[in-house]
Amino acid sequence: MEYKFRDIEKKWQAYWRKEGVYKVSNDLPGPTCYVLDMFPYPSGAGLHVGHPLGYIASDIYSRYKRLKGFNVLHPMGFDSFGLPAEQYALETGQHPAETTKKNIATFKSQLDNIGFSYDWSREVQTSDPHFYKWTQWIFLQLFDSYFCNTEKKALPISLLIKKYETKGAMPKTGEPIPGKHFTATQWNAFSEKEKADILMRRRLAYCGYGEVNWCEALGTVLANDEVINGLSERGNHPVVKKTLRQWYLRITAYADRLLEGLETVDFSEAMKEMQSNWIGKSTGAEINFNLSTGTSPIRLTPNPSPRGEGGVIRVYTTRPDTIFGVDFIVLAPEHELTLQICTPEHKAAVEEYILHVKSRSERERMAEKKITGIFTGAYCIHPYSGREIPIWVSEYVLIGYGTGAIMAVPCGDERDHKFAQHFHIPITNIIGDHYQGGEANPTKDAVLANSSFLDGMVMRDAIDFVAEKMEKEGIGIRKIHYKMHDAAFSRQRYWGEPFPITWNEGTAHAIDKKELPLLLPHVDTYHPGPNGEGPLANIKEWVEAKRETNTMPGYAGSSWYFLRYMDPENEKEFCDRKFSDYWGQVDLYIGGTEHAVGHLLYSRMWTKCLYDLGLIGFDEPYKKLVNQGMILGSSRFVYRVHGKNLYVSAGLKDQYAADPIHTDVNIVDGVELDIEAFKNLREDHADAEFILEDGKYLCGAEVEKMSKSKFNTVNPDDIVEKYGADTFRMYEMFLGPVEMSKPWDTKGIEGVFRFLKKFWRLFFDETRGLVVTDEPPLPSEWKVLHHAIRKIGQDTEKFSFNTAVSAFMIATNELTDLKCHKRQVLEPLLILLCPYAPHIAEELWQILGKTSSITRATYPVFKEEYVKETAMLYPVAINGKTRTELNLSLEASQQQVEEMVLANDIVKKWLEGKAPKKIIYVRNKMINVVV
RNA sequence: CCGGAUGUGGUGGAAUUGGUAGACACGUCAGACUUAGGAUCUGAUGCCGUAAGGUGUGGGGGUUCGAGUCCCUCCAUCCGGACCA
């Protein structure tokens, strides 16, 4: 009987669906395992062969765990709110809900085609009101919570109110600052609006004015991780800074816990590095520099400012030890004090400079890399030496980090050094020989010189010494800064979760939780509303109800979706605590690196909040994270001669003036173009002419990212149609380690295809039909099986799927050579193969006379004892080749035995008297014994 | 510029973690069966050499009886962050 893969696959996919084979229950005894894929955004383009890589890996792992007796949660869903559907709606007028629905249907059919073991009864869609009801609910939890700095955790805001009512908010030491501190009596006397404003400053989800990344082309704000080099991640549109009222998540409050949590999870080093860089914690000190009153006309500012106030400029440094190396102070151009302190004769020039900086986008600024800056005419007094220090303004100091002002130490900092050289500012050397005048040396190991009371001290030790001294003397304080800012949480868009918030007299009110979900209303136009507001501002009733017109960003739903899978139909809670306790953390999370700083950080933060509020029992969502590599497309080029409909073969292209043009990789066999297919591809190709070499047209090739525009995408449906889902699954794994990027090459799939056909022939003979026998296997046949079990088990456990596939091939080849068609060998092999190629396994399982599905039961094959017990019976070849040194010391104990029938344990016992230290195997052959 | 990863045949990639480098597969070549094959099977295939033999894991150096694997250094590619004080 022939291996009719398509019939088999369709049959079993229908069976699985009908019988609900992959439905999981929330209360089975025994160990659980939660295997999760990053759910996709259902784009209109559908899946290409790169997408399922991670899904296949996770599917193999979950099926494997299931066969081993775990209760496995392996769900799938869709991140269905988001910009592209809305952009599409703007262009075509189609409702995003409709296009999304259509796209999801395509995705699901493509996924089902590959034979995944998802429990679709648990599917979630972030744009489904039953789902976003709980996104809104969790948002309200965040809105109603604050971060307690003493307990370092989120607490209900009602506790804060109680505290304010009884104790107020007074500083532990020092004078209370008006506007910041207040007594209980004062609090109780505040108006509702005043109270609300104060509370807003503490809420985990809060509304405030701030500089945001505004993208004019998209008509919305973007989070920092959605902006790359001053351009939007989606669409590459320019992004500018703009002050707007926005919702934020107070993720900075969790900065330390997000960092600490990294140590408890199994992420790759690269991933941890990326996250901690993004958080960007640095410890240092803020130091006050008094302005020299002689040189500048200072107006005392009435409002205290963290950047400095009155006659003081506050700088941030990580190196307080270099205090005596300060040669100048630099303010960011946007710094509030810049214009206040500059002397009249410099004012015009400074204003002009600030204008110049503002006029350029961040992008232009970074591209230029010119040193710019201007002197303000004002001076500071060095807190210890009393020296006058000039104050400059320069764009290399960023307003958004630290205090927006720095103390420049040219001998120790590269940028300060370049600046000093450029403007001929004299440089003080405080590190002796470590600085030669050529370039700055950021060492911490130098012995300080020219540094008054610090002379002779090693810099590393001086850092803390100075910081402490400054704190005592009130000159500065130790301070920790983060690069990470609070996350902008509102978008001026339609296709997102509406905020469950109404505005009254300028204060935000949570809507009653009983009214959730607050449904996304119908709109007539997807165009932005007035004043940079979203489309919701165009709806009369919405505005009259004083509802928030922003919607939540794409990452809202994805921040907690993994919890909903545990209890997807619950209408009373986002997830029953009983079930989140049952399943616990995600044991394995598979997805791309692109979410390193966005989704992963946000969902980690939400998890921590929910944990703090006692709603779930763990504070890190993902125990282990695997980042699958990208499958790259292999693009093909044809070379068109200038101005003609004439194409020249790649080898001859240099003889003509020809441009490379992407052509569809699917009509190219290797590099040979299918000329007929090419002519039919597009109308203007119909009468194309070709210059061939050796009678063939050869294309150029290049490896690039897979994308529609490069015509190098391969649709998994086509591959499944031609080779079958099982071949496709195994080939994707066979390509290489899951974590690695690699180019797709359709040609190579033949090898895996041949393997499955060969495997089929272990059961079926072309002429004789079913050839499986009940004869007891020979030792050599057992040996093949047991090598396979051990190797494939280990490989699957450690995600080495490519070598596991190889092991299948080896075993199959060996059994073919042995002409082994014995049930006792083939049956366990089928069980092993099941996670990788479930359809063929099911079919053969049935053919062997089994009545139940192979995919659902558990088998002793995977138990340690199974292999060990039987392994004892088999021969281990020993080929003790001696080596130079060992030869000398071990001569007496070296046994040169070839093909000796002994189990490993027996060998060990046999050598016991000689106390073997190490037995060296090479590919399961013992080659040497170290005694 | 900083940080992370990677570097092995014509190609994708193995190598028990310091122990016969190149498993498995693609491709290529030769052969068998075929009217025919892009089906199937067999054999060969790192490089140089007719062979004996030599050589070989990005380059150079080191540790070791022994290095693809560990250390130093340089080079290349990919990814991420980039004026973060």
Side-chain angles (χ1 to χ4, degrees):
Chain A
M1 203 164 90
E2 205 187 329
Y3 170 40
K4 289 191 187 135
F5 50 89
R6 274 316 274 158
D7 297 347
I8 293 170
E9 285 165 6
K10 283 187 182 141
K11 168 181 158 190
W12 287 104
Q13 282 166 11
Y15 173 84
W16 294 334
R17 205 173 309 125
K18 192 168 130 256
E19 300 291 317
V21 168
Y22 300 118
K23 228 171 141 127
V24 232
S25 75
N26 272 353
D27 48 17
L28 277 180
T32 64
C33 186
Y34 186 178
V35 182
L36 183 65
D37 291 302
M38 289 187 188
F39 64 165
Y41 175 81
S43 80
L47 293 175
H48 61 64
V49 290
H51 294 114
L53 180 74
Y55 304 155
I56 295 171
S58 67
D59 194 61
I60 289 172
Y61 193 72
S62 5
R63 283 176 181 275
Y64 174 77
K65 283 289 191 188
R66 214 173 281 138
L67 298 178
K68 275 191 99 168
F70 285 78
N71 192 24
V72 179
L73 178 56
H74 184 47
M76 183 46 101
F78 297 94
D79 191 10
S80 47
F81 269 138
L83 272 177
E86 185 161 351
Q87 291 294 102
Y88 190 72
L90 267 174
E91 288 159 26
T92 65
Q94 276 202 62
H95 195 284
E98 274 163 38
T99 47
T100 302
K101 197 176 153 196
K102 211 166 66 196
N103 293 346
I104 287 177
T106 313
F107 266 63
K108 276 172 93 165
S109 87
Q110 283 186 300
L111 291 173
D112 279 342
N113 221 357
I114 302 169
F116 292 124
S117 60
Y118 295 126
D119 178 356
W120 281 114
S121 73
R122 292 172 182 259
E123 176 187 353
V124 301
Q125 295 177 9
T126 53
S127 60
D128 177 352
H130 296 285
F131 182 89
Y132 71 69
K133 170 182 180 179
W134 297 109
T135 310
Q136 292 171 333
W137 186 86
I138 296 173
F139 169 80
L140 289 182
Q141 298 300 310
L142 298 172
F143 180 73
D144 282 331
S145 304
Y146 76 107
F147 193 83
C148 172
N149 290 315
T150 34
E151 288 190 50
K152 304 255 176 254
K153 62 182 273 197
L155 293 173
I157 198 124
S158 54
L159 293 180
L160 187 66
I161 297 173
K162 204 159 285 162
K163 196 183 128 202
Y164 285 166
E165 282 168 353
T166 52
K167 291 192 235 153
M170 297 300 279
K172 285 200 192 79
T173 54
E175 288 294 301
I177 302 168
K180 189 176 175 193
H181 299 117
F182 48 83
T183 62
T185 334
Q186 282 170 315
W187 167 264
N188 292 320
F190 284 150
S191 70
E192 284 308 308
K193 168 96 169 75
E194 283 170 314
K195 284 182 183 172
D197 287 348
I198 290 168
L199 290 176
M200 193 59 104
R201 298 208 297 255
R202 298 300 303 275
R203 295 179 191 274
L204 286 179
Y206 66 96
C207 197
Y209 284 86
E211 284 227 317
V212 294
N213 304 303
W214 175 260
C215 180
E216 191 60 49
L218 295 172
T220 192
V221 297
L222 299 170
N224 287 343
D225 58 274
E226 292 170 315
V227 183
I228 295 157
N229 279 334
L231 296 175
S232 68
E233 187 188 16
R234 279 195 192 281
N236 277 336
H237 303 295
V239 174
V240 293
K241 294 274 173 201
K242 194 168 173 179
T243 305
L244 271 181
R245 182 182 66 74
Q246 288 297 324
W247 285 93
Y248 292 91
L249 290 185
R250 204 177 296 281
I251 193 169
T252 48
Y254 280 93
D256 271 322
R257 280 176 57 190
L258 288 169
L259 274 177
E260 288 158 17
L262 284 178
E263 285 163 31
T264 68
V265 293
D266 185 1
F267 293 7
S268 71
E269 277 313 305
M271 175 60 60
K272 290 184 182 179
E273 198 67 32
M274 263 189 248
Q275 293 208 358
S276 58
N277 279 347
W278 182 261
I279 296 168
K281 180 177 182 167
S282 73
T283 42
E286 288 184 3
I287 303 172
N288 296 331
F289 282 79
N290 290 314
L291 284 163
S292 154
T293 45
T295 55
S296 62
I298 302 161
R299 265 184 307 114
L300 289 181
T301 47
N303 292 323
S305 153
R307 306 195 198 285
E309 58 203 79
V312 173
I313 285 179
R314 177 172 283 195
V315 303
Y316 177 66
T317 179
T318 54
R319 297 293 301 275
D321 54 310
T322 61
I323 183 75
F324 287 96
V326 176
D327 289 315
F328 51 99
I329 299 278
V330 190
L331 305 182
E334 300 88 344
H335 199 288
E336 294 93 325
L337 294 181
T338 307
L339 283 174
Q340 290 174 29
I341 58 163
C342 71
T343 53
E345 57 269 30
H346 287 87
K347 189 147 191 157
V350 171
E351 275 174 348
E352 192 189 325
Y353 177 70
I354 294 174
L355 221 67
H356 165 71
V357 170
K358 267 194 192 158
S359 72
R360 292 180 309 155
S361 71
E362 210 158 313
R363 221 182 139 61
E364 288 171 313
R365 227 172 99 165
M366 291 201 288
E368 271 179 41
K369 285 200 167 166
K370 250 176 31 191
I371 298 171
T372 68
I374 195 152
F375 180 47
T376 61
Y379 291 87
C380 275
I381 305 293
H382 190 285
Y384 291 114
S385 71
R387 235 174 89 195
E388 283 207 321
I389 299 169
I391 304 172
W392 289 67
V393 178
S394 173
E395 58 185 347
Y396 87 89
V397 175
L398 305 175
I399 191 69
Y401 187 77
T403 58
I406 61 152
M407 58 179 223
V409 183
C411 73
D413 183 282
E414 194 52 43
R415 293 152 306 173
D416 297 346
H417 192 261
K418 285 201 177 119
F419 193 84
Q421 280 189 325
H422 189 261
F423 291 104
H424 308 290
I425 304 169
I427 294 168
T428 309
N429 179 16
I430 53 166
I431 49 178
D433 293 346
H434 290 87
Y435 176 66
Q436 302 292 348
E439 52 187 39
N441 185 346
T443 179
K444 284 184 187 170
D445 298 319
V447 174
L448 284 158
N450 261 331
S451 291
S452 166
F453 57 87
L454 294 174
D455 280 349
M457 214 168 189
V458 176
M459 298 177 102
R460 201 175 289 283
D461 307 328
I463 295 175
D464 209 54
F465 176 81
V466 177
E468 198 179 326
K469 184 174 159 77
M470 284 177 167
E471 257 180 359
K472 264 190 214 140
E473 295 166 0
I475 292 168
I477 51 161
R478 276 181 264 223
K479 186 93 182 196
I480 291 166
H481 275 288
Y482 302 94
K483 278 193 239 176
M484 182 172 71
H485 292 113
D486 281 342
F489 193 66
S490 42
R491 297 295 124 94
Q492 292 64 43
R493 303 308 303 237
Y494 170 70
W495 193 231
E497 300 87 346
F499 281 87
I501 292 287
T502 52
W503 288 92
N504 193 0
E505 311 276 318
T507 61
H509 296 273
I511 71 170
D512 193 318
K513 292 196 178 79
K514 285 191 210 85
E515 289 175 37
L516 296 177
L518 175 61
L519 292 173
L520 187 59
H522 180 80
V523 284
D524 298 321
T525 167
Y526 303 102
H527 287 94
N531 312 321
E533 284 183 277
L536 293 183
N538 294 325
I539 305 174
K540 216 172 129 216
E541 305 83 62
W542 193 269
V543 175
E544 274 169 5
K546 304 198 166 153
R547 299 209 185 281
E548 170 65 59
T549 58
N550 285 322
T551 54
M552 298 187 201
Y555 63 81
S558 62
S559 293
W560 74 281
Y561 75 112
F562 67 98
L563 292 166
R564 188 63 180 173
Y565 285 131
M566 299 173 176
D567 192 10
E569 268 153 40
N570 197 331
E571 290 298 319
K572 298 209 171 64
E573 285 173 90
F574 70 100
C575 173
D576 192 324
R577 175 70 194 259
K578 211 166 59 214
F579 299 142
S580 61
D581 283 348
Y582 173 72
W583 291 110
Q585 289 164 280
V586 174
D587 291 279
L588 172 66
Y589 196 29
I590 297 190
T593 348
E594 66 270 21
H595 299 108
V597 291
H599 160 64
L600 283 168
L601 274 181
Y602 299 128
S603 57
R604 291 182 59 217
M605 177 205 168
W606 284 43
T607 304
K608 287 177 191 300
C609 296
L610 294 172
Y611 172 78
D612 290 349
L613 299 173
L615 298 167
I616 53 173
F618 43 88
D619 88 328
E620 279 290 340
Y622 319 112
K623 220 187 260 176
K624 180 179 171 75
L625 174 72
V626 171
N627 297 112
Q628 95 262 27
M630 226 183 324
I631 290 198
L632 301 166
S634 184
S635 304
R636 293 291 180 274
F637 296 91
V638 292
Y639 300 91
R640 187 170 64 191
V641 178
H642 281 294
K644 290 185 192 161
N645 204 0
L646 174 67
Y647 297 86
V648 55
S649 188
L652 308 169
K653 70 172 192 293
D654 294 339
Q655 300 166 23
Y656 299 81
D659 297 320
I661 300 170
H662 276 99
T663 194
D664 192 343
V665 67
N666 295 297
I667 61 162
V668 181
D669 180 22
V671 290
E672 190 188 342
L673 183 71
D674 180 338
I675 291 178
E676 280 312 306
F678 182 77
K679 283 184 172 174
N680 294 331
L681 193 63
R682 282 182 11 201
E683 271 183 28
D684 55 318
H685 285 172
D687 49 358
E689 292 181 49
F690 302 88
I691 300 171
L692 308 177
E693 49 184 319
D694 301 331
K696 295 171 181 169
Y697 187 96
L698 304 181
C699 297
E702 205 171 299
V703 171
E704 298 175 291
K705 233 173 143 164
M706 247 190 212
S707 95
K708 277 251 143 118
S709 63
K710 298 191 180 96
F711 301 107
N712 59 3
T713 57
V714 178
N715 188 332
D717 288 344
D718 296 342
I719 301 293
V720 167
E721 200 52 51
K722 198 162 170 203
Y723 299 99
D726 287 334
T727 302
F728 176 65
R729 291 168 63 104
M730 292 195 91
Y731 181 55
E732 288 241 342
M733 293 301 102
F734 184 68
L735 277 177
V738 181
E739 297 92 331
M740 227 91 94
S741 291
K742 55 241 151 183
W744 175 265
D745 173 21
T746 303
K747 278 205 125 174
I749 202 169
E750 293 286 349
V752 178
F753 190 45
R754 265 177 220 143
F755 151 71
L756 279 177
K757 284 191 283 192
K758 209 168 181 178
F759 186 81
W760 182 263
R761 285 201 298 274
L762 288 176
F763 295 75
F764 279 102
D765 189 288
E766 272 174 42
T767 49
R768 287 181 294 156
L770 191 63
V771 287
V772 178
T773 72
D774 286 323
E775 279 174 71
L778 302 169
S780 57
E781 293 165 340
W782 278 125
K783 186 180 145 191
V784 173
L785 175 66
H786 288 288
H787 274 157
I789 292 176
R790 202 177 336 130
K791 176 82 175 133
I792 292 164
Q794 282 170 2
D795 286 351
T796 308
E797 207 75 64
K798 61 176 201 209
F799 287 81
S800 184
F801 301 122
N802 56 328
T803 52
V805 175
S806 295
F808 277 117
M809 293 179 175
I810 294 168
T812 306
N813 288 340
E814 285 174 352
L815 291 177
T816 305
D817 288 347
L818 292 168
K819 296 194 172 49
C820 169
H821 304 289
K822 291 169 184 164
R823 178 184 291 271
Q824 288 180 64
V825 174
L826 295 180
E827 246 174 46
L829 214 53
L830 264 190
I831 298 165
L832 276 184
L833 186 69
C834 176
Y836 290 83
H839 310 86
I840 192 174
E842 283 275 30
E843 179 71 12
L844 291 170
W845 192 246
Q846 192 187 46
I847 284 167
L848 288 183
K850 310 285 178 179
T851 46
S852 62
S853 165
I854 190 175
T855 59
R856 207 159 37 165
T858 64
Y859 302 96
V861 176
F862 296 106
K863 300 237 165 73
E864 286 274 308
E865 313 84 73
Y866 183 89
V867 179
K868 258 195 212 153
E869 249 171 54
T870 39
M872 289 293 283
L873 303 170
Y874 308 117
V876 175
I878 301 167
N879 178 15
K881 277 186 197 161
T882 51
R883 311 274 185 106
T884 42
E885 189 247 16
L886 291 169
N887 240 348
L888 302 170
S889 63
L890 301 173
E891 211 161 338
S893 61
Q894 287 301 327
Q895 309 290 327
Q896 304 235 343
V897 189
E898 295 211 351
E899 288 298 322
M900 196 165 177
V901 181
L902 275 173
N904 295 3
D905 293 77
I906 298 175
V907 174
K908 280 176 202 151
K909 248 181 223 164
W910 165 60
L911 284 166
E912 235 158 4
K914 284 145 194 162
K917 263 191 275 180
K918 192 179 175 188
I919 300 172
I920 300 164
Y921 300 89
V922 173
R923 260 178 288 293
N924 300 313
K925 285 188 181 177
M926 176 185 287
I927 62 154
N928 227 325
V929 181
V930 183
V931 180

